[in-house]
């Protein structure tokens, strides 16, 4: 039973992967209050705001670094098996699949400080985040596709299995402080509450089939596999449990009743000149300690399986052929000693870096007198942004160039061009609009792929609703 559960969890790790967390359209877009969540030193242009509960920020993106649905399912007259083979052998072990979703539960913020110009800002809220990454298990897929009959003597790398996934709620409080006319700093403290976690990133081992001594072939497994889980055992061990009880348990974990952790965001904005600005941030420098509802599985050791002798039992033994084969399957399953433990463990959040250089131009002027308005802000800006996120095998990087414009008082636009692990033609468009105090924004990436989403290797969408008061411009 434990082996079956281990197999199920490992398969789910590989298959449940529906672009990483890069939010280049939102970063530095200070007309949108949620931009302060990416860089706590961002100076928001309002006196206070409150997000519509569950609607202030909805973000979802999914990506595959090496394949799209079109590669497999295109109606191009080619045989599906041929396309499947091409995909299997074109993907490398460092190719990956990701899913990231974020939902604001509530959010708000307000400016504070001495005098009329309140230069400091306090923001707070709570959001729910899902983050999954699975690397392509290349040798597993080759073995599954070809079998071992034509791979005698080939060593398959069992360590190709590398995946992690989690659902976590985050309660946060941040502050932005203007140190002087040039420097603004910010920090955000976070309390993490893990709802679910599955982690299988430290796997090693090999599998080889070679000529045997007692049979035609022998299969040698040298394994060091493990998977750690939290928040799953109590929901799966009792098949007759009441669904309402499971919902209550999940709800409790969302409200700081799960496995807890701490995190910190840091930000810096430096206004070198009236037009030139540098900003950078570190997000999710933190950890989660898993101590509740935990269960880990491991298979470690060297095993040799020499197959079966095709001698069926005599009829008068009272054993059917089906029973015989079931016994063979059980013996194979018993070959691997699966350890199940409930040891506590710690996971680190994926640390993210953003850094951007921005140049503003085009003074805003009055239509009446052709002179500078009281708001001496610039209506245009161009810039470049670097993004990096730490991942189990290696960091993921993205480089973005962008153009920002205040179209008119109630409408701001941002266009981006991004080079990342998924595409060299990622063009994004963002819009923030105000209708009275209601702020609505919509941000979308990979617009060129929307004409045929099956060809897209990455899709990202963000939108939200806020009430914003006291705009500076």
């Amino acid at each position: 039973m434990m082996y079956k559960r281990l197999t199920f969890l490992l398969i789910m790790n590989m298959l449940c992967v529906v672009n990483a967390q890069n939010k280049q359209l939102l970063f530095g877009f200070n007309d949108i209050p949620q931009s302060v969540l990416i860089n706590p030193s961002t100076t928001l242009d309002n006196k206070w705001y409150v997000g519509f509960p569950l609607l202030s920020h909805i973000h979802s993106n999914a990506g595959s670094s090496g394949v799209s649905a079109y590669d497999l399912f295109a109606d191009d007259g080619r045989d599906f098996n041929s396309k499947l083979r091409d995909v299997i052998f074109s993907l490398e072990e460092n190719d990956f699949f990701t899913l990231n979703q974020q939902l604001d539960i509530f959010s708000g913020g307000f400016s504070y400080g001495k005098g009329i110009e309140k230069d400091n800002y306090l923001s707070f809220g709570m959001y729910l985040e899902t983050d999954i990454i699975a690397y392509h298990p290349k040798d597993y897929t080759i073995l599954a596709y070809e079998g071992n009959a034509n791979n005698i003597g080939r060593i398959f790398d069992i360590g190709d299995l590398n995946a992690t996934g989690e659902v976590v709620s985050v309660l946060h409080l941040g502050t932005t402080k203007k140190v002087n006319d040039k420097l603004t700093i910010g920090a955000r403290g976070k309390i993490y509450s893990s709802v679910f976690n599955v982690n299988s990133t430290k796997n090693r081992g090999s599998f080889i089939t070679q000529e045997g001594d007692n049979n035609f072939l022998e299969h040698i497994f040298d394994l060091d596999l493990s998977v750690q889980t939290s928040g799953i055992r109590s929901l799966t061990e009792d098949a007759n449990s009441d669904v309402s009880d499971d919902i209550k348990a999940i709800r409790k974990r969302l409200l700081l009743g799960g496995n807890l952790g701490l995190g910190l965001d840091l930000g810096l904005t430096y206004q070198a000149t009236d037009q030139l600005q540098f900003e950078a941030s570190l997000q999710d420098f933190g950890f989660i300690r898993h101590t509740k509802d935990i269960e880990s599985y491991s298979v470690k050791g060297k095993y040799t399986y020499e197959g079966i002798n095709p001698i069926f039992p005599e009829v008068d033994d009272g054993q059917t052929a089906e029973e015989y084969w079931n016994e063979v399957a059980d013996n194979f399953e018993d070959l691997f000693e699966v350890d199940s433990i409930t040891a506590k463990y710690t996971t680190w959040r994926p640390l993210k870096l953003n850094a951007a250089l921005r140049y503003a131009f085009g003074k805003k002027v009055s239509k009446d007198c052709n002179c500078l308005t009281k708001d001496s802000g610039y209506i245009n800006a161009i810039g470049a942004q670097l993004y990096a996120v730490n991942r189990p095998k290696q960091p993921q990087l993205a480089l973005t160039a962008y153009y920002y414009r205040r179209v008119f008082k109630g409408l701001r636009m941002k266009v981006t061009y991004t080079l990342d692990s998924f595409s060299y033609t990622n063009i994004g468009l963002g819009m923030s609009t105000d209708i009275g105090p209601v702020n609505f924004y919509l941000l979308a990436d990979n617009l060129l792929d929307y004409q045929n989403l099956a060809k897209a290797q990455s899709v990202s969408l963000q939108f939200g609703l806020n009430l914003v008061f006291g705009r500076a411009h």
Side-chain angles (χ1 to χ4, degrees):
M1 178 62 70
M2 287 187 294
Y3 174 73
K4 291 181 179 178
R5 185 181 296 179
L6 173 63
T7 304
F8 171 77
L9 289 171
L10 293 179
I11 292 174
M12 289 303 293
N13 255 316
M14 291 186 286
L15 297 182
C16 289
V17 287
V18 208
N19 187 344
Q21 302 142 303
N22 189 13
K23 297 179 180 179
Q24 70 272 25
L25 280 162
L26 187 59
F27 184 78
F29 204 149
N30 66 350
D31 304 285
I32 303 173
Q34 281 69 30
S35 61
V36 77
L37 296 180
I38 305 178
N39 181 3
S41 70
T42 295
T43 303
L44 297 181
D45 71 332
N46 64 72
K47 292 184 178 179
W48 67 278
Y49 87 94
V50 60
F52 283 85
L54 304 178
L55 292 175
S56 57
H57 183 63
I58 300 174
H59 166 241
S60 180
N61 58 14
S64 165
S65 65
V67 66
S68 68
Y70 186 84
D71 296 327
L72 279 174
F73 303 107
D75 186 12
D76 54 6
R78 292 183 61 208
D79 179 66
F80 177 81
N81 287 331
S82 298
K83 291 186 283 188
L84 178 62
R85 179 181 176 83
D86 290 345
V87 167
I88 288 175
F89 285 92
S90 65
L91 291 174
E92 298 298 332
E93 60 272 10
N94 286 330
D95 283 316
F96 55 89
F97 309 87
T98 65
L99 167 69
N100 183 260
Q101 296 177 320
Q102 186 172 319
L103 173 68
D104 265 15
I105 299 174
F106 67 88
S107 64
F110 57 90
S111 60
Y112 69 97
K114 298 180 179 180
I116 298 177
E117 296 294 333
K118 297 182 178 181
D119 296 326
N120 304 324
Y121 206 93
L122 189 74
S123 56
F124 56 88
M126 185 177 187
Y127 63 85
L128 180 68
E129 182 175 4
T130 300
D131 185 44
I132 300 173
I133 180 170
Y135 289 88
H136 172 58
K138 183 172 183 177
D139 277 12
Y140 284 77
T141 56
I142 292 175
L143 181 60
Y145 182 80
E146 290 191 335
N148 60 348
N150 296 320
N151 286 294
I152 307 301
R154 172 173 177 169
I155 300 175
F156 289 91
D157 186 1
I158 301 299
D160 276 354
L161 183 62
N162 192 310
T164 182
E166 65 180 343
V167 179
V168 59
S169 69
V170 184
L171 184 66
H172 59 88
L173 177 66
T175 183
T176 304
K177 180 176 178 58
K178 187 174 183 180
V179 179
N180 52 47
D181 290 340
K182 292 184 177 292
L183 179 63
T184 303
I185 59 175
R188 182 173 306 281
K190 295 181 174 181
I191 300 176
Y192 304 115
S193 181
S194 176
V195 181
F196 304 108
N197 178 265
V198 180
N199 186 56
S200 183
T201 59
K202 298 179 180 179
N203 297 309
R204 298 179 182 86
S206 62
F207 166 70
I208 184 172
T209 300
Q210 59 188 23
E211 293 183 1
D213 296 326
N214 301 319
N215 209 336
F216 293 109
L217 299 172
E218 64 178 6
H219 316 282
I220 301 174
F221 301 84
D222 188 3
L223 304 179
D224 187 0
L225 302 175
S226 64
V227 56
Q228 297 170 311
T229 74
S230 71
I232 295 177
R233 183 182 63 170
S234 63
L235 301 181
T236 59
E237 63 183 5
D238 185 4
N240 297 318
S241 62
D242 192 339
V243 175
S244 62
D245 293 336
D246 293 340
I247 294 176
K248 290 178 182 178
I250 294 173
R251 188 184 303 160
K252 181 179 179 181
R253 294 174 195 169
L254 290 172
L255 300 174
L256 304 181
N259 294 292
L260 300 179
L262 297 174
L264 181 67
D265 296 351
L266 298 173
L268 176 150
T269 300
Y270 184 74
Q271 193 73 41
T273 68
D274 186 40
Q275 294 176 270
L276 187 63
Q277 181 189 80
F278 171 78
E279 53 185 333
S281 68
L282 277 176
Q283 286 179 267
D284 286 318
F285 181 71
F287 67 94
I288 298 176
R289 183 63 174 165
H290 300 269
T291 62
K292 304 175 183 178
D293 196 20
I294 53 180
E295 191 165 31
S296 300
Y297 310 91
S298 66
V299 179
K300 188 173 184 179
K302 192 169 184 178
Y303 308 91
T304 300
Y305 181 67
E306 292 189 290
I308 61 173
N309 292 316
I311 302 175
F312 290 93
E314 298 294 334
V315 176
D316 57 7
D317 285 346
Q319 186 182 40
T320 66
E322 181 181 358
E323 291 171 338
Y324 175 75
W325 285 109
N326 288 338
E327 183 177 343
V328 170
D330 291 339
N331 290 337
F332 185 79
E333 199 171 284
D334 293 339
L335 176 69
F336 302 100
E337 298 178 4
V338 181
D339 293 327
S340 177
I341 58 177
T342 57
K344 302 174 183 179
Y345 66 97
T346 300
T347 57
W348 290 89
R349 297 284 292 154
L351 181 65
K352 295 174 279 291
L353 167 70
N354 284 283
L357 192 64
R358 173 188 178 107
Y359 178 77
F361 62 96
K363 282 278 190 178
K364 184 189 289 186
V365 297
S366 169
K367 294 181 180 179
D368 297 329
C369 64
N370 197 32
C371 57
L372 295 180
T373 64
K374 183 178 180 181
D375 171 19
S376 59
Y378 295 90
I379 62 173
N380 304 292
I382 57 173
Q385 176 197 343
L386 173 66
Y387 168 81
V389 57
N390 188 38
R391 285 306 197 179
K393 282 194 173 183
Q394 60 188 16
Q396 294 173 23
L397 305 174
L399 183 63
T400 298
Y402 70 85
Y403 170 68
Y404 165 89
R405 181 176 177 83
R406 301 182 194 176
V407 181
F408 47 80
K409 183 177 180 180
L411 180 63
R412 315 286 193 264
M413 304 288 289
K414 185 176 181 180
V415 180
T416 60
Y417 172 70
T418 301
L419 302 174
D420 56 25
S421 302
F422 306 99
S423 172
Y424 294 152
T425 57
N426 182 352
I427 294 177
L429 178 63
M431 172 196 73
S432 173
T433 182
D434 294 338
I435 303 175
V438 178
N439 167 252
F440 170 74
Y441 63 92
L442 177 64
L443 316 171
D445 280 355
N446 288 284
L447 296 181
L448 297 181
D449 289 330
Y450 276 67
Q451 57 186 338
N452 189 346
L453 287 176
K455 291 185 177 181
Q457 289 184 216
S458 173
V459 177
S460 178
L461 183 67
Q462 302 172 72
F463 61 93
L465 281 170
N466 300 288
L467 289 175
V468 179
F469 299 89
R471 285 281 193 193
H473 58 271

